[in-house]
Amino acid sequence: TMAGFLGVPVISYSSTSPLLSSAARYPFFMRSIPTDEGEASAICTFWRSEMQFTAAAVLYAQDTYGIGFAALLRHHCVDTYTMRIHMLSFEASTHETLVASVESLRNSGLNAVLIVGVGPENTWAIEEAVAQGLLRRSPTSVWAIAGGASPSDLHALSSAAKEAADGSIRVATMGATETNPLWRRFVQEWPLFTPPAHSDSLPANWSTAESVFANFNINASSVARDIGTYMYDAVAAAGLLACAASPQGPLSSTFTSDLFDARSSTHFAGLTGNVSFDKNGDRTVTRV
């Protein structure tokens, strides 16, 4: 990344591609969210162990997220479970190439399919699969959606698509859970929070209204639970790593490397569970 080239440490809360798991290629890059390793393993286990499938199809976007996820599926589904996986790619954010890939999927005759896309790509894929008669209630087709699809993407589906997709599964890394006492306490204390004193001086899209804490049900928000919590833990990790690299006084000339070197000894209880990092800066705890 450009930040790494400039010697600026980065802690991501949303980048999950395994292609970023290289401290040599992406120096000073870390993440509070697990890679897609857990999701890929989970869907392959579901297909082979639970459903007894020997073949499935993967419809994925040709971007860092999709290509990395596809590589993990080849490892887990093909190498571990000896499944036959039919890979179909489409150009990211391009509806036309997605339509062509769905047509190819129809010709394969496979009824077990995983969509690996981001945002509206998932909506497009589902709508097109329904239009071409691939995603249907009868005869049964088993479709799954990776974590790149948010609940809001699925809410945007047409009524016909929602009906056809009823019973499909979404495989995603979990953020906050009710079993985490820190999250439960955070939810309880949320209505007591107040905006910072300087909030009114900030631009509108940066300022915080009183109603955010008074009226917003954070526990019912999938964005807060599955995205915001990883953001919160990324900020907490940055603070702890910075303190470990420079406990006091002015920053040294080796601050960036010292911060990154502190990753192996930094661990804490966060809103998404126990947070720790491996030698590449990847989150070591995965829950799907």
Side-chain angles (χ1 to χ4, degrees), residues 82-95:
T82 63
M83 292 181 65
R84 179 172 61 87
I85 301 297
H86 188 42
M87 294 288 185
L88 294 161
S89 64
F90 60 91
E91 187 176 341
S93 302
T94 305
H95 188 267

Side-chain angles (χ1 to χ4, degrees), residues 29-285:
F29 177 82
M30 302 173 65
R31 42 189 161 190
S32 61
I33 190 170
T35 70
D36 294 318
E37 182 83 29
E39 290 185 27
S41 176
I43 189 61
C44 293
T45 300
F46 172 75
W47 276 340
R48 193 68 187 95
S49 300
E50 300 296 327
M51 302 303 294
Q52 306 298 310
F53 292 155
T54 58
V58 178
L59 188 63
Y60 70 96
Q62 291 177 333
D63 55 16
T64 302
Y65 170 59
I67 293 171
F69 207 115
L72 289 173
L73 290 169
R74 290 188 184 95
H75 169 64
H76 289 286
C77 292
V78 178
D79 297 343
T80 302
Y81 290 110
T82 63
M83 292 181 65
R84 179 172 61 87
I85 301 297
H86 188 42
M87 294 288 185
L88 294 161
S89 64
F90 60 91
E91 187 176 341
S93 302
T94 305
H95 188 267
E96 291 75 15
T97 59
L98 191 150
V99 171
S101 293
V102 173
E103 291 176 350
S104 298
L105 176 61
R106 182 180 59 188
N107 296 331
S108 73
L110 293 170
N111 290 325
V113 182
L114 172 68
I115 302 172
V116 183
V118 176
E121 294 170 347
N122 298 280
T123 307
W124 299 340
I126 293 173
E127 294 283 4
E128 188 60 34
V130 172
Q132 296 196 30
L134 292 176
L135 179 54
R136 57 192 181 273
R137 300 298 299 274
S138 179
T140 303
S141 59
V142 181
W143 284 62
I145 310 162
S150 68
S152 60
D153 296 323
L154 303 181
H155 289 321
L157 291 170
S158 65
S159 297
K162 288 180 180 177
E163 182 179 358
D166 186 28
S168 299
I169 64 172
R170 176 173 174 260
V171 184
T173 301
M174 298 172 62
T177 66
E178 299 298 333
T179 59
N180 186 343
L182 291 181
W183 171 249
R184 294 200 304 269
R185 189 177 72 181
F186 188 82
V187 170
Q188 292 173 353
E189 295 178 351
W190 179 261
L192 305 177
F193 296 156
T194 57
H198 59 274
S199 181
D200 292 340
S201 302
L202 297 173
N205 59 330
W206 283 91
S207 62
T208 304
E210 292 276 358
S211 59
V212 169
F213 302 111
N215 303 327
F216 179 62
N217 184 355
I218 193 170
N219 200 36
S221 170
S222 61
V223 173
R225 293 173 65 106
D226 295 333
I227 300 176
T229 50
Y230 284 110
M231 185 187 299
Y232 185 99
D233 286 349
V235 174
L240 291 171
L241 288 163
C243 288
S246 183
Q248 58 185 359
L251 301 183
S252 69
S253 60
T254 59
F255 173 75
T256 296
S257 58
D258 291 342
L259 185 149
F260 191 67
D261 289 343
R263 69 196 181 283
S264 59
S265 58
T266 299
H267 49 85
F268 63 95
L271 293 185
T272 59
N274 294 323
V275 181
S276 58
F277 305 96
D278 66 14
K279 64 180 181 179
N280 291 317
D282 287 340
R283 172 81 176 261
T284 56
V285 178

